């Protein structure tokens, strides 16, 4: 079942001059903003709430609900922070949106700021996205010149400034409160919550933080209506009060061992098998899938047998993964050693742990060292249970850390060692060394 | 003598209007200085602190958290090349690319070539996994590259 879904978020990607204001407006751009500015802010929040939009950055929190947490009738500034720190391995949808269609995102930022009564928006962009930075700089300048940003937008009684703020290469800045600390000029140590950012966020003021793709969805929801968004995807499970459903189109990134890695916009709930076979051109060199990661490195692994799991917000969790995450699918073929793959994952989290919480700082570092030892041919049979013990002890789920980075470090370990345990046991018993290139890390 | 140029000072001061306090200008200031000087020296941190009404230790605390900033003992070469080693790139030869470049340039990741032209850096996911293996030269992305490609891009016209 290939391609009957007409892309919405990616509709303009690849068009000539797609990043310019003129071409965006020629395609009807900024009509969603006009519509929004005619409504009271509460009504904009209500439209987004009714659409069922959940955050696209990884946690999947309902967007309208997040906005409604801001204190009512309070005085003083409210901030909107755009989370453009996209750093989850496997994920590149924000970069493509920003490089190819920045105005779709900027329109969403203005609408979200209006809805939340923010008059300043900080766009936190990872430093590595130089092309996105330069594209956004230009696009923002066009908006000021056209009266779509700054004082009295479109002649209305609403003013907004958007400031670009570049990061400096740290994964932890994608965590909401790590981002805020970094924005404030400090080391990006996530804050203890509560208070949540809606109550006390950037500069100790009420703050909403939204992902780039989420904000692009906001533009389309205002364009096409909450009902349109709500008819796409997977409805909520009526028997599960805690399920918020999986509505709308989603940008699925597919990378790794497929013939055509790429970004595919599909209704939430597509299966990994459908994505790989019908969109990403199948596994390369005629090989088979050994494992996939359903939503960025921190979600853990699915086996070939689990490929028919729908990739909606609830799906990956049913096969032991942490969740849908960023919907970035990384495909691993049957010629690849899971020992090498898990080492790569553990090394990533050891490198990116901010060091604030001891269980995460030590747990991620030691899990990487243990896997380094296994790869060097010196593994012990007890190492598997030791790794599982580390994975069970770090993160917000066992309650030992401030943020979820350590949960993301734990899930690849748990899922690799339970689903591929025999491979690890054989590897350790054989005492062999990894053939993959070993490069000294610093 | 001042470590920061007048142009850098002006750029840093211009950032102050964008935030409710001056500490938020720390990262922009560090970027401005490193872009110009290829490192942020202790003296530069003192001068940034003075502009932003902070203690030099506050600047150092932030700068040292982000592996991105280099002190005067490890200044960057003319071009900084980041090679992604995260999983999607590893699966398509990212680690091999990193090892080949280290050999070609006769250095370890983190070091600069003897002629001061190129600094090789390990990067975690650069967000271009559909173009693996990928690299950055400064902040410009290059996708599906070989070691020869990177050598030409980084040293070709240098």
């Amino acid at each position: 079942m290939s391609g009957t879904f007409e892309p919405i978020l990616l509709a303009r990607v690849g068009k000539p001059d797609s990043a310019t204001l003129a071409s965006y407006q020629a395609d009807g751009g900024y009509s969603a903003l006009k519509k929004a500015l005619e409504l009271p802010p509460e009504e904009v929040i209500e439209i987004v709430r009714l659409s069922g939009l959940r955050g696209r950055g990884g946690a999947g929190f309902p967007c309208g609900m997040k906005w409604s947490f801001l204190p009512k009738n309070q005085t003083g500034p409210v901030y909107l922070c755009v989370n453009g720190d996209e750093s989850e391995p496997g994920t590149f949808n924000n970069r493509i949106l920003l490089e190819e269609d920045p105005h779709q995102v900027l329109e969403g930022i203005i609408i979200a700021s209006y809805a939340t009564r923010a008059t300043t928006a900080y766009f936190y962009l990872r430093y590595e996205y130089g092309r996105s930075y330069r594209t956004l700089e230009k696009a923002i300048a066009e908006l000021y010149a056209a009266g779509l940003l700054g004082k009295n937008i479109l002649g209305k009684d609403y003013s907004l400034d958007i400031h670009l703020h570049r990061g400096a290469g740290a994964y932890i800045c994608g965590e909401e409160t790590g981002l805020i600390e970094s924005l404030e000029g400090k080391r990006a140590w996530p804050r203890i919550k509560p208070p949540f950012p809606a109550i006390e966020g950037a500069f100790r003021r009420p703050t909403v933080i939204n992902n780039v793709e989420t904000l692009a969805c906001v533009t389309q929801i205002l364009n096409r209506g909450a009902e349109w968004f709500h008819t796409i995807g997977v409805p909520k499970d009526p028997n599960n009060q805690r399920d918020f459903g999986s509505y709308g189109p989603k940008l699925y990134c597919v990378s790794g061992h497929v013939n055509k890695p790429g970004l595919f916009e599909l209704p939430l709930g597509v299966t990994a098998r459908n994505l790989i076979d019908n969109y990403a051109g199948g596994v390369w060199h005629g090989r088979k899938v050994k494992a996939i990661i359903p939503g960025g490195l921190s979600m853990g692994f699915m086996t070939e047998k689990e490929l028919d799991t729908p990739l909606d917000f609830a799906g990956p969790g049913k096969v032991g993964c942490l969740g849908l995450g960023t919907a970035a699918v990384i495909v691993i073929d049957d010629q690849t050693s899971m020992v090498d793959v898990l080492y790569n994952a553990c090394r990533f989290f050891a490198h990116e742990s901010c060091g604030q919480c001891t269980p995460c700082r030590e747990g991620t570092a030691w899990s990487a060292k243990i896997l380094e030892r296994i790869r060097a041919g010196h593994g012990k049979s007890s190492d598997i249970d030791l790794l599982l013990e580390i994975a069970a002890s770090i993160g917000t789920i066992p309650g030992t850390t401030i943020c979820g980075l350590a949960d993301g470090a734990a899930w690849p370990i748990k899922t690799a060692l339970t689903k591929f345990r025999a491979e690890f046991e054989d590897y350790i018993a054989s005492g062999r060394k990894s053939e993959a290139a070993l490069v000294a890390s610093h | 003598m001042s470590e920061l140029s007048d142009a850098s000072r002006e750029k840093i001061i211009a950032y102050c209007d964008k935030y409710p306090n001056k500490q938020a200008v720390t990262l922009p200031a560090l970027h401005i200085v490193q872009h110009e000087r290829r490192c942020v020296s202790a003296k530069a941190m003192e001068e940034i602190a003075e502009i932003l009404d902070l203690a030099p230790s506050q600047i150092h605390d932030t700068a040292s958290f982000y592996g991105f900033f280099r002190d005067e003992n490890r200044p960057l070469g003319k071009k900084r090349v980041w090679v992604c080693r995260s999983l999607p790139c590893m699966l398509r030869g990212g680690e091999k690319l990193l090892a080949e470049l280290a050999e070609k340039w006769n250095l370890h990741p983190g070091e600069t070539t003897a002629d001061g032209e190129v600094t090789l850096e390990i990067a975690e996911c650069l967000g271009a996994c559909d173009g693996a293996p990928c690299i950055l030269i400064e902040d410009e992305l290059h996708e599906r590259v070989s070691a020869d490609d990177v050598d030409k891009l980084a040293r070709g016209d240098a």
Side-chain angles (χ1 to χ4, degrees), chain A residues 143-160:
Chain A
L143 288 177
Y144 276 106
L148 287 157
L149 258 187
K151 292 256 173 284
N152 300 107
I153 294 171
L154 290 167
K156 301 277 177 193
D157 183 26
Y158 177 65
S159 304
L160 174 71

Side-chain angles (χ1 to χ4, degrees), chain A residues 95 122 126 165 185 256 258 347, chain B residues 18-19 62 92 95 125 127:
Chain A
R95 182 179 60 80
Y122 291 106
R126 67 182 305 209
H165 190 96
V258 289
R347 186 182 62 186
Chain B
K18 300 178 186 216
Y19 305 92
T62 300
R92 285 177 166 259
E95 294 199 342
C125 189

Side-chain angles (χ1 to χ4, degrees), chain A residues 169-172 347-355 405, chain B residues 65 123-125:
Chain A
Y171 173 73
I172 195 62
R347 186 182 62 186
F348 174 82
F349 291 105
H351 189 254
E352 297 299 339
S353 172
C354 78
L405 185 143
Chain B
F65 178 81
E124 297 295 357
C125 189

